[in-house]
Amino acid sequence: MKRLLALLAAALLSTAAHAQDAGPVERWGSKEVTLAGPRDGNPFMDVELSATFRQGERSVVVEGFYDGQGQYKLRFMPDAEGIWEYETHSNRAALDGKRGRFTVAAATAGNHGPVRVQGLHHFSYEDGTPFWQVGTTSYGWTHQPEAVERQTLTTLAAGPFNKVRMLVFPNQDVKHQPPRFPFEGAPPKAWDFSRFNPEFFRHLEQRVGDLRALGIEADVILFHPYDKGYWGFDQMPADVNQRYVRYVVARLASYRNVWWSMANEFDYLTKKQMPEWDRYFQIVQARDPYQHLRSIHNAMVLYDHHKPWVTHVSVQSGAIAEDFERAVLFRDVYSRPVVYDEVKYEGNIDRRWGQLSAQEMVLRFWMGAIAGTYVGHSEIFKDPDDMSWLGKGGTLRGESPPRLAFFRRILSESPPEGLEPIDKWQEYPFAGKPAQYYLGYFGQQRPESWPFALAKPGLEDGMKFRAEIIDTWNMSITPVEGVFEIRKRDNYSFADKNGRRIALPGRPYMALRIVRLP
Amino acid sequence: MKRLLALLAAALLSTAAHAQDAGPVERWGSKEVTLAGPRDGNPFMDVELSATFRQGERSVVVEGFYDGQGQYKLRFMPDAEGIWEYETHSNRAALDGKRGRFTVAAATAGNHGPVRVQGLHHFSYEDGTPFWQVGTTSYGWTHQPEAVERQTLTTLAAGPFNKVRMLVFPNQDVKHQPPRFPFEGAPPKAWDFSRFNPEFFRHLEQRVGDLRALGIEADVILFHPYDKGYWGFDQMPADVNQRYVRYVVARLASYRNVWWSMANEFDYLTKKQMPEWDRYFQIVQARDPYQHLRSIHNAMVLYDHHKPWVTHVSVQSGAIAEDFERAVLFRDVYSRPVVYDEVKYEGNIDRRWGQLSAQEMVLRFWMGAIAGTYVGHSEIFKDPDDMSWLGKGGTLRGESPPRLAFFRRILSESPPEGLEPIDKWQEYPFAGKPAQYYLGYFGQQRPESWPFALAKPGLEDGMKFRAEIIDTWNMSITPVEGVFEIRKRDNYSFADKNGRRIALPGRPYMALRIVRLP
């Protein structure tokens, strides 16, 4: 019966006169429908608007939003090519029952769709392309003067990062007033929380769209504690928070590169209790038709990432990514991908969280990878103009980014299923895919040679492998001469049948890549 | 009205003729009521028996069990002194409506009640005495010849351990047949799963009671994978498993020293799915009137210890207790006490899990403590008679136990609230209670001195401390001369105002104890 009704509705839509919307939209692009509607009263509070988008028997309900000046919008991210139709629903006649149809073209080059969880612990784009997360953080980059924001985009375009963590609300900085605010009113605190400032959100969308064009995911942070009550966006009433979350989701969900982070350092927002965080997760889960990735970032207290609305683990830990035997532990805990989004930052400030050397920063990415997890970068250097990549964007000064580009290249040449730790608990620094591919990393150790020996799972006598020595700091890959044929050595390992070792240069930050030969 | 009914019921009970049971029972002792009942049919399956124990307005419902030969029993652990009354309920007239009263005396010396969770991450007995868990494992010690079991008890009486992990079902060993089996029938597999063997359980109870008399907790493991189908106790139908869990709880819950472990290496019991484990937890939670501690032990896959019926985390990990910065991670994840029950074992066998030196075994206890967690011991040495403490009990051959006794002494002199990590993520090896008590441990490092510096929380200029040097391996405590007066050093620490250092002997396994002076 339900199916019949759907078919009937589709048939009715097909025969009705349509507003044939202009302009093509690609698969996983953003289709925008603009409608004129009431300006009276408070459109943000009074007007309800949604639309049902249909293709055949499939239908997706999308929430609309008021964009100011009598304009209402609906945005839709189609996940299939072909003809789609829509019909609007509203408590205002001017916005209700509007219909249209449009054609969705194939995705263009570089558009792989939104990022999804792949298997238990990894990511891939919706088209199946692996997503090897190499993230950075630039909290306030969308709250800067135009020139700085353009510089940030230029930096990102040339850099190694495929994900940026960024705040919706500005971060408080007494020396610098953000160009726009999310509500009507005047800084610092005279806000009308019942009226959003559409221009603020249009700007945010432009930047998310800029990242999308660069193939970079936008990890959008909904709340943060760096306001400290100055503007008060960290202390809004619960009903305002909920309306705000819905509004952001209605505006941004159609951008395929969006990830949702409920908060940065959520536990420093001491006025919000745990059930409130659950509630914001639930709102996003219910309102985002595309189920973009969802998580939340901590300071000293961990959120329970086992909760059903958490798609992946986003963690700050100052120590966990220092070695792969630590990093694997949260992977063991959660049946989800683990991203160590904050592991301290490259830099030279007085604070302990901003003093990593570039070597230490890069090491953490490698250690995370060997543990089958993902790591995040940022940097903060002393600057007379109080500029920092972490806070504002602009340019990068650290030495880690080229090494992270090299790291990302190595990842991208790994099995598409993701790197899995091979033999945990045994100080065995290899991840990969048993009997196929092994990536090992020695960190600060300076071995002068390595006995060719692989952990038992999947191996058989006579299998043959080739090896490469990777200098992760100097960014070189050196093939090792010859072929290694293995034979069972003991209950736990197979080794080269002639007992061969691989000579290593006695420097730190070396890796090995071992690939099975046909 | 409910209260009135309760009072009325109590009054009726008081005036009724009672079977005044002989013999005193102490608070947190086990009151046993024996009743004669039907022998016909299958009493294990056909007869329902429970009793309500009352004191004033409080009532506790306790499940009874069939003990063979027409005898039915109810056991009750009173948690308050004074007069208690009971009334039985049964689907058989001979067992229904039986009443009695008895007096509960004060707990005798050494009886502190059952162990409870204290705060978020620690344990105490119900009378408030801290419980510093120093556990060991002897899986099959209750399945040995009488002489060996007595030897095990003698060893435990002289040893450092206050908790023993032990299996209900025997562990499979082809060279040795256990004296008793839990069901009627004949080994290896001709069991009548509808009829328990009461003698098996009476023996188990005797041993749990023996441990209770020694002040040792019995971590009772309900299922394990070491049967491998030989007797089939690892592969019983779900309804048998559930009846078995209820029967064990009915028999053992009144022993104050019982902890429940749903399984050892639960994920190696590959025929049981996750919902089954949840179900066994739920049965124990519903049927144990005293809410003894509940957990489950893993091999390679972790159970979700966030689930509401888990009281504390019981974990096997081969690497997590090697350093305090690892060990703290699971504490951060779970708002529960964390016990690393299996961290590899002291021994000399070929398997990687049984090769720890005594030094490494002891180190893991210290590292766990500095992380605010608890660790478990066992040992397995090559033996021509195939005896091992881990599998069978008997005597201990390792060198760790005296050091663990020394460790337990140090713990017992620490603040009763438990040790809390002082400054995580900073390689800062101190736990304790800020501004009061600091216990630091250097593990395999061999410092020759230590600058007197404490992490900032709670500190103020002018506070004074005394210090002791602890050699955790040689078991010595050496007071440091003089008093240390602190002054703020930087944003993160206070240090001795004169920059004094504490000289250390340059050996591994050294600790420092620093206590505030009034």
Side-chain angles (χ1 to χ4, degrees), chain A residues 299-300 302 304 306 318-319 322 325-326 329-330 332-333 344 351-352 423-427 491-492, chain B residues 299-300 302 304 306 318 322 325-326 329-330 332-333 344 351-352 423-427 491-492:
Chain A
M300 303 310 280
L302 284 170
D304 177 5
H306 277 119
E322 279 178 36
E325 289 200 290
R326 282 183 204 164
L329 292 170
F330 279 6
D332 287 349
V333 166
K344 299 184 176 175
R351 295 293 164 143
R352 302 187 299 196
D423 190 19
K424 66 182 184 182
W425 302 350
Q426 309 303 329
E427 300 178 6
N491 191 46
Y492 296 108
Chain B
M300 304 309 281
L302 285 171
D304 177 5
H306 277 119
E322 278 178 36
E325 288 198 291
R326 283 184 202 162
L329 292 169
F330 278 6
D332 286 349
V333 167
K344 299 184 177 175
R351 296 292 164 144
R352 302 186 300 196
D423 190 20
K424 66 182 184 183
W425 302 351
Q426 308 304 329
E427 301 179 5
N491 191 46
Y492 296 108

Side-chain angles (χ1 to χ4, degrees), chain A residues 26-93:
Chain A
E26 65 182 300
R27 188 181 180 200
W28 302 307
S30 182
K31 167 68 183 174
E32 184 171 286
V33 176
T34 304
L35 302 167
R39 295 165 183 249
D40 58 312
N42 183 342
F44 295 106
M45 302 291 283
D46 306 337
V47 180
E48 292 163 20
L49 173 64
S50 64
T52 305
F53 287 79
R54 284 199 179 82
Q55 184 181 56
E57 292 179 41
R58 289 192 60 214
S59 69
V60 180
V61 178
V62 165
E63 206 169 12
F65 60 90
Y66 184 58
D67 198 34
Q69 299 176 307
Q71 294 234 307
Y72 291 79
K73 287 185 172 163
L74 293 144
R75 291 188 184 139
F76 173 63
M77 181 187 83
D79 62 1
E81 295 172 37
I83 293 174
W84 285 80
E85 297 170 315
Y86 66 84
E87 179 173 5
T88 65
H89 324 286
S90 177
N91 61 349
R92 298 301 161 101

Side-chain angles (χ1 to χ4, degrees), chain B residues 189-202:
Chain B
K189 296 192 84 152
W191 307 118
D192 178 352
F193 285 141
S194 77
R195 290 177 183 270
F196 296 106
N197 171 15
E199 198 261 334
F200 174 93
F201 290 96
R202 279 195 295 268

Side-chain angles (χ1 to χ4, degrees), chain B residues 13 17-21 84-87 98-102:
Chain B
L13 274 172
H18 281 96
Q20 179 80 41
D21 294 287
W84 285 80
E85 296 168 316
Y86 66 83
E87 179 173 5
K98 302 293 174 189
R99 294 173 182 184
R101 64 187 296 173
F102 57 95

Side-chain angles (χ1 to χ4, degrees), chain A residues 357-368:
Chain A
S357 68
Q359 287 85 347
E360 289 169 326
M361 183 86 252
V362 176
L363 175 141
R364 287 163 191 235
F365 275 78
W366 278 91
M367 287 294 185

